[in-house]
Amino acid sequence: MFRLNSTCLHRARTVALLGTAAVAVLFASTAAAVAKTTLLVYTALEDEQLQPYKDAFEKANPDIEIKWVRDSTGVITARILAEKNHPQADAIWGLAATSIAKFESDNMLLPYAPKNLSTISATYRDPKSPPSWFGMDVWGATICFNTAAAAEQHLPKPQSWKDLTKPVYKGKIIMADPASSGTGYFDVTAWLQLFGEQGGWQYMDALDRNVAQYNHSGSAPCTMAASGEYPIGISFEYRAATLKAQGAPIDLVFPSEGLGWDLEAFAIMKNTTKPDAAKKLADFASSREANQLYAQSYAITAVPGTAKALPNVPANYQSMLVKNDFSWAANHRSQILAQWSQRYASKAETRQ
């Protein structure tokens, strides 16, 4: 019978132990690679922006992955408020500053000064130290005017908000519902600030007589105007410029009285169980690299020097923006929406 001597047995055992150790190391390294931190991030970003933002962050932070919850501004805002006592989100990346200011006043946010805070314009961030939120970019009101449909229907091109109240536009206008859309809400608050409270509601009464429908999202009025379903859609400049670049027969009209606007902004939720990962997301979202991503869609970004001229958006776009009181808009949100709904909700689109 063949027998292994003691030296051979020792060597065999050594090889076996080394093999076991190597396998253990391999499994440990594989597990470490797989075990990523997942951040639940609420957003109202446009659908086509989600993947590029996610890819850029995860490339810089391969140990963290983003899981998006996306809807229109009003829906996300209502969801976060409804979850106040049992919060789900870790962070907010891309929601109206007027909504985030409401969460701040309700003590729902975790103050944090991101690494790049000093590069963000003071106009576009929470002034407290450390801040509870910071801005990303500005999006503002634009009228999408279908030139082909208007020619067929003999409609003049409007130049102002008040032009839209003329009888010639009866049934020709669609706009976003402010209860669900950040675009719709900044239109309403802009009119109240431009024309005064009484004058603002009188203006909206007159406009309502010409509005065919209030849409769920801020993009929809421009998309429908671009397709010719309605000749006029009150929307925002990113969607309008994008559709025009794709060949839609629309002109972008920037009303002479001034443009409603809001900031897309970032914040960390106070009760996140993953604060370190959320802070890394804040560091990235405030970075020059992130602002350059924002600048692909918007003419005004929070970090000076990252924005660029965009086709069909005027060079003096920033000077067209109305003076906007974010605190007032945030603190009066419930009352404004209640009155708007009482007056005009009969024309609001039913959400599927």
Side-chain angles (χ1 to χ4, degrees), residues 12 17 69 94 116 154 200-202 219-220 224 245 282 345:
L17 288 170
V69 172
N116 309 288
H154 307 290
W201 290 114
Q202 288 175 346
S219 293
M224 295 170 74

Side-chain angles (χ1 to χ4, degrees), residues 26 35 60 137 144 152 175 184 245 249 257 270 273 327 332 337 340:
L26 177 62
D137 50 68
C144 299
E152 290 177 1
M175 71 167 279
E257 298 97 332
K270 182 178 181 179
T273 59
S327 295
H332 290 81
L337 291 179
W340 187 92

Side-chain angles (χ1 to χ4, degrees), residues 199-229:
W201 290 114
Q202 288 175 346
Y203 170 74
M204 283 183 270
D205 286 344
L207 177 66
D208 179 69
R209 289 192 282 271
N210 290 343
V211 170
Q213 186 180 67
Y214 297 101
N215 301 105
H216 174 65
S217 77
S219 293
C222 196
T223 301
M224 295 170 74
S227 71
E229 190 169 349

Side-chain angles (χ1 to χ4, degrees), residues 161-167 169-178 188 191 195 199-215 230 234 339-349:
W161 292 122
K162 291 192 175 179
D163 280 350
L164 296 182
T165 65
K166 294 178 179 178
Y169 297 119
K170 186 174 181 61
K172 307 295 185 182
I173 300 171
I174 49 175
M175 71 167 279
D177 180 342
V188 171
W191 296 328
F195 306 135
W201 290 114
Q202 288 175 346
Y203 170 74
M204 283 183 270
D205 286 344
L207 177 66
D208 179 69
R209 289 192 282 271
N210 290 343
V211 170
Q213 186 180 67
Y214 297 101
N215 301 105
Y230 292 93
I234 301 173
Q339 186 165 173
W340 187 92
S341 295
Q342 182 181 8
R343 289 171 179 259
Y344 317 120
S346 62
K347 291 183 181 179
E349 175 186 27

Side-chain angles (χ1 to χ4, degrees), residues 19-42:
T20 302
V23 170
V25 170
L26 177 62
F27 274 111
S29 61
T30 302
V34 171
K36 294 184 178 182
T37 299
T38 298
L39 286 176
L40 187 62
V41 181
Y42 283 14

Side-chain angles (χ1 to χ4, degrees), residues 313-336:
V313 178
N316 66 333
Y317 177 73
Q318 188 163 8
S319 68
M320 298 178 176
L321 305 178
V322 301
K323 186 176 180 181
N324 202 354
D325 187 334
F326 287 108
S327 295
W328 171 82
N331 293 332
H332 290 81
R333 181 181 180 86
S334 296
Q335 301 96 302
I336 290 171

Side-chain angles (χ1 to χ4, degrees), residues 87-103:
Q88 303 297 309
D90 295 299
I92 301 163
W93 191 10
L95 189 68
T98 48
S99 293
I100 291 180
K102 171 61 177 171
F103 308 149

